[in-house]
Amino acid sequence: MNRTYVCADVHAHLDCFEEALKCLDETDRLFVIGDAVDKGPNRMEVLQKIMDDPRCEMLIGNHDLMMLQYLTVADYIENHDPETIPVDVIYLYNEIAYRWAELNDGLETLTAYRALAEDEQKRILEYLKSCPLKKNVTVNGKEFILVHAAIPAEAEDDLCDAEVLYLDLIQDPEKPYRYDYKTDWVWGRYSVQVSGKYVVTGHTMVQTFRTDHIKRMGDWFDIDCGLAARFDRSSLALFCLDDFSVQYFKPKVL
Ligand SMILES: [Mn+2]
């Protein structure tokens, strides 16, 4: 039916993601706006499902960006003579390993990733590198900005149709392994209102606003229904941009 759907923060919950996919026709499309990994029981499978389903397009979330930053730096270290590795790379490695693997539940994800065949690891890494952080879509004449968390203040004047990629976060071309993985695009927690456009984000659990349903505030929709927290009341919201309808899917396995 050529409908456009959005979901967010699947967080490795394959069962409810598959249930949501069943609601799509062949010609529908689904934007998964970040945080496919960490927290839930199926650490790599959700990401692989997104990659393999031509109806799906993925945006980067903070968990995916931490994974990408970790793998990029680990890859650099593996492929360089230890004598020549700059000390800031070692610091960055320690910093991201701590932030992702220790603080944000990345260790189990990393273990699942490393258990995959090398070709598959590479395919996943290249896929993540190709995913945007922000996407503009128009549905029935209505304009939407899709982003995992928020719109950084410095980007507010330039919300043209161009995608934002992790490559745009690199500040020093001499150090492509170092980029702003703490960017507000994926970490910001504040109201995002853009004149004349709707904004759809995940990242901040709607339970923060004392509801279990997607939360509309002005023209901003927060659709993260709390799978990361694995509450009894957590669910995956499938939000249809054509008519603003929502379907909710509860994970069988938290
Ligand atoms: Mn997030």
Side-chain angles (χ1 to χ4, degrees), residues 9 11 35 61-63 148 186 203:
D9 298 83
H11 277 300
D35 284 3
N62 55 315
H63 284 265
H148 180 63
V186 297
H203 187 56

Side-chain angles (χ1 to χ4, degrees), residues 31 57 59 132-137 144-147 161-164:
F31 293 97
E57 192 173 325
L59 271 69
L133 293 113
K134 183 217 66 160
K135 183 105 191 164
N136 293 37
V137 292
F144 296 85
I145 297 174
L146 311 180
V147 58
D161 288 346
E163 290 179 342
V164 177

